[in-house]
Amino acid sequence: MLCTGAALLGMFFFLTLFLQVVWGYSALRAGLAYLPMTAAIGVTSGAAAQLVPRVGALPTLLTGSLAFGGGLYWLSRLSEHGSYLHTILGPTLVAGAGLGLLFVPLTVVAMAKVAESESGVAASLRNTGQQVGGSIGLALLGTVAFTVVANSARAGHGARSAQLSQAARSAIENHALTSGFGRAFVVAAGIMLLAALITAATIRIRKADLAGVNSI
């Protein structure tokens, strides 16, 4: 949950900035751009609820982590000259599918074999992990992204920055932002690869421990 929260909040933050600042989307249009991903999360969450009792939590978590990470890495190739259909739709669908496969088994594993009297504490710990991960992740990804932005903008303006036209300045700044946000998505993808490794090393829940999963 810590890794997922870090990558998830970073994705929403930087993708929203990219859509509104670089591509000039309105807030409403940027929100609508997330609808296909939301649909993908809904579809794969329903599928995950059926898969976990059949194949177990570990394969579902690994698939979800790698799919989400793959979507983030795909997003790192965004371009200020791209289009929604060719640049954003595909990777957000993949990322959404991965998230849908993550949410259900993460909840099930966190609550498996927890006494009813301790279920509140277990659920709080799970939610806290996601929130803390989001805070730490955004700080880390923000540092990476805006360091790249500053370096790219400085290199683009060069010694003759005063002689550049407004259009040239805008193009340089948009390229710098795109480069920085792309680097942040690469790091976020690496975080999800770490999540997959943690999952493979630590998750030891058997199918028998998941009795009642159909009720979630």
Side-chain angles (χ1 to χ4, degrees):
M1 290 300 287
L2 194 78
C3 292
T4 301
L8 178 63
L9 187 57
M11 178 190 69
F12 282 127
F13 180 76
F14 290 109
L15 185 55
T16 301
L17 279 181
F18 176 79
L19 291 173
Q20 294 192 251
V21 176
V22 178
W23 279 5
Y25 278 27
S26 66
L28 176 60
R29 191 179 180 188
L32 292 174
Y34 286 108
L35 287 181
M37 183 177 69
T38 305
I41 293 173
V43 170
T44 53
S45 292
Q50 302 299 319
L51 285 172
V52 170
R54 297 178 182 177
V55 304
L58 180 58
T60 311
L61 282 171
L62 285 174
T63 302
S65 298
L66 294 174
F68 183 32
L72 290 169
Y73 185 76
W74 192 357
L75 274 174
S76 72
R77 303 177 66 181
L78 49 77
S79 167
E80 64 268 33
H81 304 299
S83 65
Y84 177 78
L85 289 178
H86 293 93
T87 307
I88 303 298
L89 181 60
T92 53
L93 285 175
V94 173
L99 284 169
L101 292 175
L102 279 172
F103 289 148
V104 171
L106 277 173
T107 301
V108 171
V109 170
M111 304 304 294
K113 299 195 293 185
V114 174
E116 185 176 351
S117 60
E118 298 177 341
S119 60
V121 176
S124 298
L125 182 61
R126 182 194 69 221
N127 292 333
T128 299
Q130 183 177 5
Q131 297 301 318
V132 171
S135 300
I136 295 174
L138 190 56
L140 170 64
L141 297 174
T143 300
V144 170
F146 288 106
T147 298
V148 174
V149 170
N151 291 338
S152 179
R154 191 179 302 115
H157 284 106
R160 299 181 177 180
S161 59
Q163 302 175 12
L164 295 174
S165 65
Q166 183 60 39
R169 288 173 180 270
S170 179
I172 291 171
E173 291 167 1
N174 285 340
H175 178 72
L177 288 171
T178 302
S179 299
F181 297 166
R183 186 68 57 84
F185 286 130
V186 170
V187 176
I191 291 174
M192 290 313 301
L193 178 59
L194 175 62
L197 295 175
I198 292 172
T199 298
T202 61
I203 300 300
R204 293 293 181 267
I205 300 295
R206 300 170 300 175
K207 293 181 185 180
D209 299 324
L210 301 177
V213 67
N214 288 327
S215 63
I216 61 176

